[in-house]
Amino acid sequence: MNILIIGTGYVGLVSGTCFSEFGYKVTCIDQDNLKIKKLKKGIIPIYEPGLNELVKKNIKNKNLKFDNSINKYLNNSDCVFLAVGTPSRRGDGHADLKFVFKAVEQICSMVTKKIVLVTKSTVPVGTAKKINKIVQKLNKSDYINVASNPEFLREGSAINDFLRPDRVVIGSNDNYSRKILNTLYKPLNLLQVPIVNTDTETSELIKYASNSFLATKITFINEISSFCKKTGANINDVSKAMGLDKRIGSKFLHSGPGYGGSCFPKDTLAMSKTFRDHKTKFNIVDTVIKTNNQIKKNISKEILQIINKNNLKKILFLGLSFKPETDDIRESSSIFIIKYLLKKGKNLSITAHDPVSIENAKKEKLKIKYLNDFQASFKNQELIVIATEWNIYRSINFKKLYKKMKSHHLYDLRNIYPNNKEIKELGFNYYSISS
Ligand code: UGA
């Protein structure tokens, strides 16, 4: 099986690499020449645990190639995956499909053999039908069968999510593409991974419904967490006991400073817009979007109040990425709060530490200092904000660091120190989203 992946961003690169790991011949295409040049040498543009090794291994065994020309490989391919970006259109939240349609038109202008054209990018329900219309209009229906195969990869654990998924969803409206895609995923089927075969509309909706549900689950526990603060209840016990109910499940019940990343904020907005396009409303998700934004604002306000009340000036943020094990800072709560403090605070000196995201954060041009040296970053600080739950922050030697600090306030945005008696006994003022 020969596979072409159009778009070598996060989704395309991980998917292409993992397909090559199955033994298929994969070529990943991107119009960014510099990126392709680097990838050919095995230099990975993103931080994703395990990806580096897999790319190098599959370049070496000749299963994985990178190029900037679709033309060279298209008519050698059985399956072409569209993994280009679908950014949020400013204003109305709709996923912008211009890169998807541009790629479809390009493929139509070059194709001379039968291929299955699959959307891997997250696209609103009805997109496969729109692609099919373009294919028909350009008289390429004899060559192109359109299908949908959404990804469910979490940044930070994407390789494992691809190679050991909970399920694979295949959306196809014809026997040919269904057969090809089921053959492609045979290695996972043999590992007992459930394969859900459905039509393209359902497949597209499954992706948005899944992300909207997870965003709702997180927002639900975040609101319970704020309520714990008012009532004195313990959020960790609430989450734990709720999660033990098999109908609820323990995953995605960790309270925090609101969900971020490149997917949930964008996909919930797009889902809401798609509902509106169909003259209806997704009330629960509209509330989730509003509540998540409010949670980020409320937390920022509360931190500013602590700063003003105690006349603090030197703040250290631990973590910049939207979650651990990634260098992605898109829609990161940490960055949101820093921006708020820079705007509303007076003469604050903010320093930030992160194991891998500092270079990406620098592109935001924030007036803050960045420190790679974790121990040194504590010197003379007055307030520490644990913003991302990187493992390195789970084992802080507070006794040692207490002496380095000028004043002793700690805000644990991720509830990673539920047993904080010792921290308080050392003399820290401990704050969290739930207590
Ligand atoms: C998410 C989905 O989990 C993937 O299945 C999906 O494929 C992907 O979006 C996508 O659409 O491409 P990702 O954005 O990488 O993956 O990250 P998640 O692990 O889902 O976390 C999203 C946000 O929720 C983060 O800000 C995280 O801190 C927050 N979160 C997650 C919580 O606050 N609490 C939790 O219990 C879990």
Side-chain angles (χ1 to χ4, degrees):
M1 188 87 77
N2 290 339
I3 298 171
L4 196 61
I5 309 263
I6 317 284
T8 309
Y10 179 79
V11 170
L13 183 55
V14 172
S15 305
T17 306
C18 289
F19 278 133
S20 71
E21 185 66 13
F22 290 163
Y24 302 133
K25 300 285 176 207
V26 179
T27 308
C28 293
I29 305 287
D30 206 289
Q31 55 191 12
D32 182 339
N33 287 337
L34 189 64
K35 192 197 260 184
I36 292 297
K37 253 190 194 166
K38 284 186 175 170
L39 281 165
K40 278 182 176 173
K41 290 185 201 153
I43 303 168
I44 313 295
I46 53 168
Y47 175 80
E48 179 61 40
L51 185 60
N52 210 330
E53 294 79 355
L54 278 197
V55 169
K56 281 193 179 127
K57 176 181 153 195
N58 285 292
I59 290 178
K60 203 169 163 206
N61 67 19
K62 297 199 171 14
N63 281 345
L64 184 62
K65 267 194 280 195
F66 298 96
D67 209 293
N68 51 14
S69 152
I70 298 180
N71 208 2
K72 237 159 94 189
Y73 299 92
L74 179 68
N75 292 308
N76 232 337
S77 307
D78 303 293
C79 251
V80 179
F81 283 89
L82 298 173
V84 294
T86 54
S88 234
R89 203 187 289 154
R90 275 185 197 283
D92 69 359
H94 208 299
D96 192 339
L97 296 176
K98 68 170 180 260
F99 300 117
V100 173
F101 295 144
K102 197 178 142 208
V104 173
E105 281 167 12
Q106 251 183 314
I107 289 164
C108 284
S109 72
M110 299 167 188
V111 72
T112 55
K113 82 170 275 283
K114 202 161 178 60
I115 57 162
V116 180
L117 180 57
V118 196
T119 50
K120 193 76 154 141
S121 311
T122 301
V123 292
V125 58
T127 302
K129 277 208 165 142
K130 284 185 186 163
I131 294 176
N132 220 356
K133 275 200 183 133
I134 299 176
V135 171
Q136 281 168 359
K137 203 174 131 201
L138 298 173
N139 288 323
K140 298 293 170 170
S141 301
D142 287 348
Y143 296 128
I144 299 177
N145 289 49
V146 181
S148 153
N149 172 224
E151 51 84 19
F152 300 97
L153 311 173
R154 285 163 301 170
E155 292 185 27
S157 51
I159 303 289
N160 192 54
D161 286 349
F162 195 101
L163 298 175
R164 301 254 178 280
D166 291 339
R167 80 306 208 181
V168 168
V169 174
I170 294 174
S172 54
N173 297 343
D174 64 88
N175 289 335
Y176 181 77
S177 56
R178 188 169 306 125
K179 195 174 146 216
I180 292 282
L181 285 172
N182 278 278
T183 308
L184 188 68
Y185 280 106
K186 199 140 194 194
L188 292 181
N189 196 16
L190 290 172
L191 289 171
Q192 311 286 325
V193 171
I195 312 274
V196 179
N197 274 289
T198 183
D199 55 73
T200 54
E201 290 78 7
T202 310
S203 167
E204 290 162 345
L205 185 55
I206 288 168
K207 170 63 196 258
Y208 276 102
S210 301
N211 273 5
S212 299
F213 182 80
L214 291 170
T216 305
K217 197 172 176 188
I218 296 167
T219 308
F220 181 93
I221 204 66
N222 282 343
E223 286 217 282
I224 296 288
S225 173
S226 310
F227 194 57
C228 284
K229 199 160 189 150
K230 291 198 187 297
T231 56
N234 182 321
I235 186 61
N236 299 302
D237 290 347
V238 173
S239 286
K240 187 174 169 195
M242 279 178 70
L244 286 168
D245 184 329
K246 289 194 180 66
R247 293 168 303 171
I248 298 174
S250 61
K251 302 273 168 64
F252 280 70
L253 274 187
H254 303 291
S255 58
Y259 60 76
S262 67
C263 302
F264 288 173
K266 173 170 83 75
D267 293 350
T268 45
L269 280 172
M271 186 67 164
S272 170
K273 173 71 169 91
T274 311
F275 266 62
R276 291 201 301 283
D277 287 347
H278 286 80
K279 309 250 173 302
T280 181
K281 275 181 119 188
F282 197 176
N283 292 318
I284 192 165
V285 161
D286 289 343
T287 306
V288 164
I289 295 167
K290 238 199 277 168
T291 308
N292 192 56
N293 290 334
Q294 198 54 51
I295 284 168
K296 291 185 183 185
K297 275 188 204 143
N298 289 349
I299 288 172
S300 307
K301 260 189 209 164
E302 197 199 325
I303 295 179
L304 187 61
Q305 275 165 8
I306 294 169
I307 289 171
N308 289 341
K309 191 174 150 210
N310 297 286
N311 197 21
L312 309 176
K313 294 289 173 221
K314 297 197 60 119
I315 328 288
L316 170 65
F317 271 75
L318 296 182
L320 290 160
S321 52
F322 80 98
K323 67 171 193 177
E325 298 303 328
T326 177
D327 59 354
D328 195 342
I329 58 152
R330 285 176 286 177
E331 303 279 337
S332 151
S333 297
S334 175
I335 301 281
F336 181 98
I337 299 167
I338 292 173
K339 282 185 177 165
Y340 182 95
L341 295 181
L342 287 173
K343 195 168 164 203
K344 308 260 178 175
K346 286 201 182 82
N347 304 322
L348 300 182
S349 158
I350 301 180
T351 304
H353 174 272
D354 189 285
V356 296
S357 312
I358 288 180
E359 287 315 308
N360 278 343
K362 279 183 181 166
K363 293 176 198 153
E364 293 281 305
K365 303 210 182 313
L366 304 170
K367 288 201 169 132
I368 66 173
K369 271 182 252 158
Y370 297 98
L371 271 184
N372 288 310
D373 185 335
F374 180 57
Q375 302 291 333
S377 65
F378 283 78
K379 196 165 173 227
N380 287 332
Q381 299 296 348
E382 296 176 312
L383 166 67
I384 311 291
V385 179
I386 301 177
T388 314
E389 66 276 36
W390 284 96
N391 276 339
I392 181 177
Y393 307 145
R394 291 182 192 275
S395 55
I396 299 175
N397 185 340
F398 286 105
K399 202 170 174 184
K400 194 169 151 199
L401 295 171
Y402 185 92
K403 293 175 204 143
K404 294 192 179 213
M405 290 175 67
K406 195 170 152 202
S407 184
H408 303 90
H409 297 265
L410 172 70
Y411 202 119
D412 180 1
L413 284 173
R414 298 284 179 172
N415 265 330
I416 61 172
Y417 288 104
N419 305 318
N420 44 60
K421 200 166 154 249
E422 274 178 30
I423 300 175
K424 285 181 184 163
E425 278 170 5
L426 278 173
F428 275 97
N429 294 290
Y430 177 87
Y431 316 88
S432 86
I433 39 177
S434 57
S435 63

